[in-house]
Amino acid sequence: MPGRGRAVPLATPPPTPASPAHLETEEPRSSLSLAGQLSPRPQEAEAGDGPSGLGAPGGRLAVPPRETWTRQMDFIMSCVGFAVGLGNVWRFPYLCYKNGGGVFLIPYVLIALVGGIPIFFLEISLGQFMKAGSINVWNICPLFKGLGYASMVIVFYCNTYYIMVLAWGFYYLVKSFTTTLPWATCGHTWNTPDCVEIFRHEDSLMGSAFPRNKVLRLSGGLEVPGALNWEVTLCLLACWVLVYFCVWKGVKSTGKV
């Protein structure tokens, strides 16, 4: 009889061989490809890994990783290029003059500190954290995904009108290389009968006739479409081509242009 406190080993039954049915239903962990390398299971190959699979439905389709900035300065210059444009040189002084001059800077700075800068910081922080576009970034909170679509619509409208302003600027740049500036003299088809070659604004209409009648070619109203200005159209096409070559390499070239 064994003594007290000593465990008696129990006989373990021999392992039963796996049945053929069990072998057929069991899924292999990996399969050997023709190249002699192990390929992952189908479920593992379809599953997304981290943020790269956020854009796929259910996160089951693997997408290539997004590109990152080469240097921190590239990201900073891209933000500056997005925030600073012709509006800072052309539109902002006009708004200051129209709304009280220097007094306009008081509410402008206040709103910039309270609303503009915090929202801008939230936008770039969320984009850097999720590493996704303006739509997929809201996978962090699907309830607000409509904000992503709304931002895309706003960016589309802003780009379509802002590129037109760049086309006008490019048109003036081309015309400025002529020997005699077209808006400095009278005798053109777009000049009004009241045009005189003097430099007093109250007596001369040649400065306003050139942009209204030559560049914009304003018609009598919306019901009169008018003719197509081919010169401005070519300038618009040239601006779109320049924009394409500025961003065609993604973040590798955006911060350097």
Side-chain angles (χ1 to χ4, degrees):
M1 172 177 283
R4 296 182 62 183
R6 296 180 60 184
V8 179
L10 299 178
T12 56
T16 57
S19 60
H22 177 70
L23 294 177
E24 293 176 0
T25 57
E26 184 180 2
E27 187 176 358
R29 298 295 296 178
S30 60
S31 59
L32 191 61
S33 61
L34 294 179
Q37 300 177 353
L38 292 177
S39 60
R41 298 173 60 182
Q43 288 82 354
E44 297 174 356
E46 295 177 357
D49 185 13
S52 60
L54 291 176
R60 296 188 58 83
L61 295 178
V63 295
R66 296 177 65 90
E67 296 181 354
T68 57
W69 302 97
T70 305
R71 298 177 301 170
Q72 186 178 6
M73 185 57 64
D74 293 345
F75 172 71
I76 295 176
M77 295 304 297
S78 297
C79 293
V80 172
F82 181 79
V84 180
L86 289 178
N88 301 88
V89 182
W90 164 56
R91 185 68 176 174
F92 183 75
Y94 168 75
L95 291 177
C96 289
Y97 171 78
K98 185 179 179 181
N99 295 278
V103 183
F104 176 76
L105 296 177
I106 298 177
Y108 174 80
V109 174
L110 180 63
I111 296 300
L113 294 177
V114 175
I117 295 178
I119 294 177
F120 179 73
F121 180 76
L122 174 64
E123 179 182 358
I124 61 177
S125 300
L126 188 60
Q128 290 292 306
F129 174 74
M130 295 296 293
K131 294 184 179 180
S134 58
I135 296 178
N136 293 332
V137 73
W138 291 106
N139 287 336
I140 191 174
C141 184
L143 181 64
F144 296 102
K145 203 166 186 177
L147 295 176
Y149 291 99
S151 64
M152 293 299 297
V153 174
I154 293 174
V155 169
F156 172 77
Y157 284 122
C158 289
N159 288 338
T160 51
Y161 95 83
Y162 195 80
I163 197 70
M164 195 67 227
V165 177
L166 295 180
W168 292 337
F170 187 73
Y171 180 79
Y172 271 87
L173 178 64
V174 174
K175 291 295 183 179
S176 63
F177 284 100
T178 57
T179 304
T180 303
L181 297 178
W183 54 83
T185 58
C186 298
H188 303 284
T189 56
W190 62 82
N191 291 124
T192 60
D194 299 328
C195 177
V196 289
E197 296 183 8
I198 57 178
F199 294 97
R200 289 184 300 174
H201 183 270
E202 60 274 11
D203 296 333
S204 177
L205 296 177
M206 62 181 179
S208 61
F210 178 77
R212 291 174 60 88
N213 301 334
K214 176 62 177 177
V215 182
L216 300 180
R217 296 187 183 181
L218 298 179
S219 61
L222 295 177
E223 67 279 1
V224 183
L228 183 64
N229 192 342
W230 290 103
E231 294 180 343
V232 178
T233 304
L234 293 177
C235 293
L236 179 62
L237 179 61
C239 289
W240 276 117
V241 173
L242 291 177
V243 170
Y244 170 77
F245 282 106
C246 289
V247 300
W248 72 311
K249 288 188 178 180
V251 297
K252 302 299 182 183
S253 60
T254 305
K256 298 180 176 60
V257 178

